[in-house]
Amino acid sequence: MPTPTSLIMGKMIITMTLSERMPSVTTASYAEAKTVVFWDVDECPIPEDLDPQSVYQNIRTALANKGYHGEVTIMAFGDRNQIPGYYESAGIQIFPKGDKYERIGQMQLEFFGWMRDNSCEYTNMMVVTRSAMELVSYLEYRNTHHNILFANPLYPQTKACGCKFGARQEDPSAETWVWETLALGGDPSIRTVEEPCRYREEGGGDVK
């Protein structure tokens, strides 16, 4: 599957390392830092009976409840058939991209742009998409001031072997929410240790 050109370009701009996990607690620096949310509205749609305004307020509430009290900016990606002004009226910037790779490519560009523009500041960066690990797998995290947060849908995308995408990579996030819970202003999920992904070779047994 081809790698979006924007992802390749982005990796040339900033180098980080996945081997170093982001902070697991809300330090004073991150508690008052501004937060940006990269929201894939196609893979994490607005729950029934909610709208962009209520989702925006609920995300702010969820962050505040975990100790993140800084300014919150939300960028949404997808929903090409939106009503004009539907997201903007809630203070959400919308990028009406089409298929998955266009959305990820645009998210990656904005991701790197935020890091570049805030290279000397502590910030929180929340990625809301079914493809969160796929998005950040092109990055190498090292010596940054950015705290990574994830929100995934209740039923993550799986591979043929039944494991989650990104299961063979270390999760770099400090906190991870279930999207349907985050959209209602709820708390992040409790981390659990998952069984390593195993693949079956044709004519052979299971291998890691």
Side-chain angles (χ1 to χ4, degrees), residues 72-142:
V72 177
T73 298
I74 299 182
M75 303 181 189
F77 303 82
D79 197 357
R80 288 185 297 177
N81 300 317
Q82 61 171 297
I83 300 172
Y86 184 57
Y87 293 92
E88 291 89 342
S89 62
I92 298 173
Q93 185 177 4
I94 182 71
F95 297 85
K97 296 298 180 179
D99 65 28
K100 171 182 175 179
Y101 292 101
E102 286 183 343
R103 295 196 308 275
I104 290 180
Q106 187 64 49
M107 290 175 74
Q108 188 83 332
L109 288 176
E110 299 304 323
F111 197 95
F112 278 111
W114 175 272
M115 292 174 62
R116 181 189 63 240
D117 296 342
N118 298 277
S119 60
C120 297
E121 298 183 52
Y122 286 90
T123 75
N124 303 296
M125 302 173 68
M126 174 177 278
V127 181
V128 182
T129 176
R130 188 185 302 274
S131 310
M133 282 302 297
E134 183 174 344
L135 176 66
V136 302
S137 67
Y138 293 93
L139 309 178
E140 296 177 357
Y141 292 92
R142 184 188 308 123

Side-chain angles (χ1 to χ4, degrees), residues 163-174:
C163 60
K164 296 178 182 178
F165 277 84
R168 307 187 86 181
Q169 301 168 8
E170 184 180 1
D171 183 348
S173 63

